[in-house]
Amino acid sequence: MTTAKFDIVVLPGDGIGPEITAPSVRLVEEAGRQFGLDFRFEFVEAGAELYARSGVAFPEENFQRAAAADAIYLCAMGLPHIRYPDGTEVGPQHDLRKRLKLYAGVRPCKTMPGVPLPLADPRAQKLDFVIIRESTEGLFAFPRGHELDSDEYAHNLLRISKTVCDKLFDFSFRLARRRHQQGTGQNLVTHIDKANVLSSQHRARQWFYEAAKRYPDVKAAHQYVDFCAFDMVRKPWVLDVMPTENQYGDILSDLASALMGGMGMAPSADVGDDNAVFQPCHGTAPDIMGQGKANPTAMILSGAMMLEYLGDRKNVPAAYQGAAKLTKAVEAAYAKGDLLPCELGGSCGTKAILDAIGRELTR
Ligand code: ATP
């Protein structure tokens, strides 16, 4: 059996982060171990709690360790009662995305049998689409004010660049092509925008169709973001790969999480040219922290996405096998139909879910 070694920096963050991160790391490690992978997990501190204690949310030394790792496994950061002087929440994961240029926020919406879902239509029980949220620019480019701010006016500048859009669209077309080759999706990329109102979005759409010419084998389309939200509830089974502006992607991702059953079910990845962060779509869930109710599924599935990424970037097929095994263990645990997380109205807390997935993984 081949042995590959990966350095992973783990950022448990705040709220429910520390409760679900360490046990999820153990499952990722076990999945990899079964296929000869060796990991060095280094737990690193960053987040709102650290800011409250020290005045620094993400010490430079910790950032540099994360930047040097093969991948970053992050849970969530930020707490409502800990804020910067301008009133915004302490969320150094946003800075991480910008500094490491993690432009492609991959937000898959893939449903699993056995998980109660909000839409009754049988076609909504088998969803498999991906939002690609641009994660470094857009309306989140300048979240902390603007030179035109005054006592009367407050601004946030929406800025996009052709360079980042090009990368985002290339990523999206390659993903749609790959999904199609693997028998998933419709070989379709749909640009989600507001090109009828915002000139920046009009330009983004033009850049999108220029990029589409580089992928003549993949279909290209566009849709307004408001109508996309409508379709995500009305007929989400028609969706495939959808690149979009940062804030639109942020909002649509939460809607997609609901289609998967809940916040605790939705994994994600933020990918750049040289680095990648894997983290659940949810936040720190301060309302349930310390109660043993947090659902670790999204964190575990994000770990599976991390293994897949390592397989891809480092050309290690065993990492793909580990990813597939971990994903199958999660699916098998839910397929029985008796694993109902607290957030979905059931009684299964963090431990019950971890145990059920762990049993399937070592079966
Ligand atoms: P952010 O702005 O960082 O995305 P948020 O404040 O919008 O965070 P979350 O922290 O994700 O939102 O919480 C939204 C709701 O979802 C809360 O009621 C929370 O308890 C619930 N929730 C989030 N994650 C989980 C989880 N893993 N398990 C169970 N419930 C969760």
Side-chain angles (χ1 to χ4, degrees):
M1 191 181 279
T2 52
T3 304
K5 186 162 178 140
F6 298 120
D7 282 323
I8 312 293
V9 158
V10 182
L11 294 156
D14 301 305
I16 60 171
E19 299 165 36
I20 62 176
T21 302
S24 300
V25 165
R26 283 196 287 277
L27 293 180
V28 172
E29 192 168 24
E30 169 60 23
R33 192 197 57 74
Q34 292 182 12
F35 296 94
L37 305 180
D38 192 8
F39 298 96
R40 194 172 70 91
F41 290 104
E42 186 186 2
F43 282 66
V44 163
E45 228 189 336
E49 289 278 10
L50 183 64
Y51 176 79
R53 272 202 327 273
S54 68
V56 181
F58 203 157
E60 185 58 24
E61 188 198 332
N62 292 1
F63 172 82
Q64 292 303 338
R65 276 145 92 180
D70 292 316
I72 301 164
Y73 195 32
L74 187 156
C75 191
M77 293 176 189
L79 289 168
H81 61 283
I82 302 176
R83 306 230 168 204
Y84 290 123
D86 67 0
T88 57
E89 263 192 42
V90 179
Q93 71 274 24
H94 301 296
D95 304 327
L96 189 68
R97 285 178 200 151
K98 276 187 201 164
R99 286 187 68 184
L100 296 180
K101 300 187 171 51
L102 309 178
Y103 51 85
V106 185
R107 310 281 187 265
C109 178
K110 192 164 187 289
T111 51
M112 281 188 286
V115 178
L117 302 175
L119 301 182
D121 192 304
R123 290 170 290 184
Q125 315 304 306
K126 286 188 197 153
L127 300 180
D128 190 345
F129 65 85
V130 192
I131 296 166
I132 309 292
R133 168 188 172 184
E134 197 294 306
S135 298
T136 58
E137 308 188 317
L139 196 53
F140 291 0
F142 301 96
R144 302 201 182 104
H146 189 270
E147 58 187 14
L148 290 176
D149 281 2
S150 66
D151 288 344
E152 178 65 13
Y153 294 105
H155 308 75
N156 287 113
L157 175 68
L158 190 165
R159 183 166 81 181
I160 56 170
S161 69
K162 183 166 187 312
T163 303
V164 170
C165 282
D166 271 346
K167 286 173 187 267
L168 189 81
F169 300 148
D170 282 336
F171 186 97
S172 304
F173 280 105
R174 284 199 299 267
L175 179 66
R177 179 191 280 160
R178 184 163 160 175
R179 278 163 55 87
H180 187 60
Q181 284 163 352
Q182 292 169 345
T184 314
Q186 307 144 54
N187 205 20
L188 169 69
V189 181
T190 306
H191 187 246
I192 306 302
D193 58 47
K194 197 69 187 165
N196 53 336
V197 176
L198 299 175
S199 56
S200 63
Q201 291 293 294
H202 176 69
R203 292 196 74 186
R205 191 187 280 185
Q206 288 176 326
W207 295 334
F208 170 74
Y209 280 111
E210 277 172 33
K213 289 184 193 147
R214 297 195 284 274
Y215 303 87
D217 57 314
V218 184
K219 285 173 277 179
H222 60 264
Q223 190 175 35
Y224 295 133
V225 62
D226 40 348
F227 198 58
C228 177
F230 183 69
D231 264 356
M232 276 179 70
V233 176
R234 194 175 58 141
K235 46 171 186 172
W237 48 88
V238 305
L239 308 174
D240 197 352
V241 175
M242 299 184 290
T244 190
E245 183 272 339
N246 203 339
Q247 187 182 232
Y248 301 153
D250 186 30
I251 296 168
L252 292 179
S253 301
D254 271 23
L255 180 43
S257 303
L259 296 175
M260 294 175 72
M263 293 300 294
M265 305 301 296
S268 85
D270 290 304
V271 182
D273 291 340
D274 304 314
N275 299 85
V277 172
F278 299 84
Q279 70 171 119
C281 283
H282 61 74
T284 55
D287 53 331
I288 56 163
M289 70 182 275
Q291 298 171 32
K293 291 181 181 168
N295 183 356
T297 308
M299 186 70 189
I300 296 164
L301 289 172
S302 302
M305 289 176 77
M306 179 168 74
L307 289 176
E308 209 172 304
Y309 164 86
L310 290 169
D312 206 17
R313 292 289 168 115
K314 307 280 172 183
N315 199 13
V316 179
Y320 282 122
Q321 292 174 289
K325 181 83 189 275
L326 189 53
T327 307
K328 283 205 178 76
V330 174
E331 288 169 355
Y334 280 100
K336 296 194 173 85
D338 57 1
L339 189 66
L340 195 58
C342 298
E343 67 164 336
L344 304 186
S347 58
C348 296
T350 312
K351 186 172 182 318
I353 298 169
L354 286 163
D355 287 350
I357 295 171
R359 273 195 299 277
E360 294 298 334
L361 188 60
T362 47
R363 197 181 281 280

